[in-house]
């Protein structure tokens, strides 16, 4: 089964890859690293290898087993577009997402350049799928804004920004071609503060461009105490979801076959499913 998620903007997480390396200031207090490293060396635990990168092919077909339609955050404990994740493996992940069209998949990365390159060629079939949303993390101007440009230049059908942890005022953001914006402050030990005016600026810009706005949290050491109310209300907007209804057994079997066929004899088989 999937891990039910406490993340406000998704239903479940799916991690066909585990582990990652830090690449920008938003990674400083990476929750996934903190969680994974607690279990390093614990035999038989999914994070026995701590936060070291590893593929998890036995998880590849998991979404095809879920009968109810879900919002699925892909690789909450990793980044699918890290250099060391083979292209063929990323393609296999995409084959499953395309076949499991009754779910909405949310793919979020800090490796925006690699995502754009792959969506422009090898992964074109997945870029245009209405049930896959492609997003980039944006924590500051220097690292985050170039990722938005990469995302906008990609052929993704649905594009979103996860502006979390928001570390400074982003100024004017180019929201052309962006379909959803999530904003949140950092939480946990050592959390860096987020100023209300930074959030309000993004909310205003989303309003100007009619982009759905989701305010996830203020963050801080005790995130539940700080809550997620912004000027007297919560913001829980989403882009339009386009998924098929709940599949019959036959449809699920066909989807599994299609994932295998799509990927050809090599991919899903090669990765052990
Ligand atoms: S990219 Fe994401 S998962 Fe990877 S280290 Fe940074 S915050 Fe953690």
């Amino acid at each position: 089964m999937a891990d039910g998620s406490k993340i406000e903007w998704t239903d479940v997480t799916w991690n066909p890859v585990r582990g990652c390396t830090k690449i920008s200031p938003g990674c400083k207090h990476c929750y996934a690293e903190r969680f994974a490293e607690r279990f390093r060396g614990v035999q038989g635990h999914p994070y026995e290898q701590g936060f070291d990168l590893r593929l998890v092919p036995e998880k590849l077909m998991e979404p095809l087993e879920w009968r109810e339609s879900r919002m699925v955050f892909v690789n909450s404990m990793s980044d699918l577009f890290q250099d060391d994740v083979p292209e063929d493996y990323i393609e296999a992940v995409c084959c499953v997402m395309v076949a499991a069209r009754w779910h909405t998949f949310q793919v979020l990365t800090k490796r925006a350049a690699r995502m754009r390159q792959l969506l422009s060629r090898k992964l074109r079939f997945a870029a245009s799928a209405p049930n896959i949303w492609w997003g980039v993390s944006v924590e500051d101007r220097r690292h985050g804004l170039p990722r938005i440009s990469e995302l906008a230049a990609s052929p993704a059908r649905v594009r979103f920004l996860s502006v979390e942890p928001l570390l400074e005022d982003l100024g004017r953001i180019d929201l052309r071609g962006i379909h959803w914006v999530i904003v949140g402050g950092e939480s946990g030990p050592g959390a860096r503060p987020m100023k209300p005016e930074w959030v309000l600026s993004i909310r205003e810009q989303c309003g100007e461009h009619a982009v759905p706005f989701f305010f996830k949290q203020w963050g801080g050491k005790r995130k539940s105490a700080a809550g997620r109310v912004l000027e007297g209300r919560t913001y829980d907007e989403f882009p339009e979801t386009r998924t098929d209804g709940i599949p019959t057994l036959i449809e699920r079997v066909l989807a599994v076959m299609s994932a295998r066929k799509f990927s050809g004899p090599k991919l899903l088989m090669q990765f052990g499913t």
Side-chain angles (χ1 to χ4, degrees):
M1 280 299 292
D3 312 320
S5 177
K6 288 187 183 150
I7 300 169
E8 291 78 355
W9 46 263
T10 199
D11 296 328
V12 292
T13 57
W14 171 47
N15 285 283
V17 179
R18 293 183 190 135
C20 194
T21 49
K22 298 184 173 188
I23 58 159
S24 66
C27 299
K28 185 174 179 189
H29 298 131
C30 175
Y31 164 82
E33 180 194 36
R34 216 165 39 217
F35 177 89
E37 286 299 335
R38 281 188 1 225
F39 300 100
R40 182 180 286 281
V42 177
Q43 247 184 355
H45 192 277
Y47 291 94
E48 181 180 354
Q49 294 164 32
F51 204 44
D52 299 348
L53 173 63
R54 89 182 164 94
L55 310 183
V56 195
E58 63 271 25
K59 288 278 178 187
L60 264 180
M61 302 294 270
E62 200 175 46
L64 292 163
E65 293 161 12
W66 305 334
R67 296 173 196 195
E68 286 162 18
S69 185
R70 287 164 167 171
M71 205 72 92
V72 185
F73 178 15
V74 181
N75 286 322
S76 61
M77 298 293 290
S78 182
D79 187 330
L80 184 63
F81 291 98
Q82 290 171 83
D83 286 345
D84 291 339
V85 180
E87 281 188 14
D88 283 354
Y89 192 78
I90 300 175
E91 187 180 8
V93 170
C94 288
C95 287
V96 172
M97 294 193 291
V98 167
R101 58 188 186 282
W102 57 94
H103 299 307
T104 299
F105 292 93
Q106 300 155 314
V107 183
L108 181 61
T109 188
K110 285 191 175 71
R111 278 83 174 177
R114 188 174 188 215
M115 181 170 82
R116 178 183 57 76
Q117 284 160 11
L118 287 174
L119 289 181
S120 305
R121 43 183 185 91
K122 196 175 182 116
L123 303 181
R124 260 199 182 265
F125 70 96
S128 56
N131 69 318
I132 309 177
W133 301 352
W134 303 95
V136 296
S137 298
V138 180
E139 71 267 53
D140 62 10
R141 287 189 289 261
R142 180 172 161 218
H143 299 86
L145 299 186
R147 291 187 195 127
I148 300 177
S149 307
E150 294 282 2
L151 180 66
S154 78
R157 179 155 171 173
V158 183
R159 304 184 191 91
F160 72 97
L161 310 181
S162 171
V163 185
E164 184 190 2
L166 177 55
L167 300 177
E168 66 178 359
D169 180 17
L170 296 181
R172 292 300 296 178
I173 314 168
D174 189 350
L175 289 174
R176 284 173 297 175
I178 303 298
H179 304 98
W180 189 32
V181 174
I182 303 162
V183 176
E186 192 164 50
S187 59
R192 292 161 283 184
M194 176 176 71
K195 293 193 177 165
E197 55 266 34
W198 305 343
V199 183
L200 292 171
S201 164
I202 299 170
R203 186 198 63 181
E204 295 316 312
Q205 295 181 61
C206 285
E208 286 164 24
H209 293 269
V211 175
F213 175 78
F214 191 105
F215 185 54
K216 180 171 174 268
Q217 62 182 40
W218 285 107
K221 256 194 205 154
R222 289 175 56 236
K223 118 179 186 167
S224 53
R228 49 189 301 264
V229 172
L230 174 63
E231 291 201 321
R233 59 162 285 196
T234 52
Y235 288 83
D236 293 313
E237 297 166 2
F238 284 88
E240 188 189 347
T241 48
R242 294 231 194 122
T243 52
D244 290 359
I246 297 169
T248 61
L249 179 61
I250 296 286
E251 284 168 333
R252 283 196 297 122
V253 170
L254 289 174
V256 171
M257 287 166 65
S258 130
R260 289 183 186 281
K261 189 173 149 212
F262 215 140
S263 58
K266 58 175 177 56
L267 286 178
L268 295 177
M269 308 291 190
Q270 172 188 335
F271 291 110
T273 58

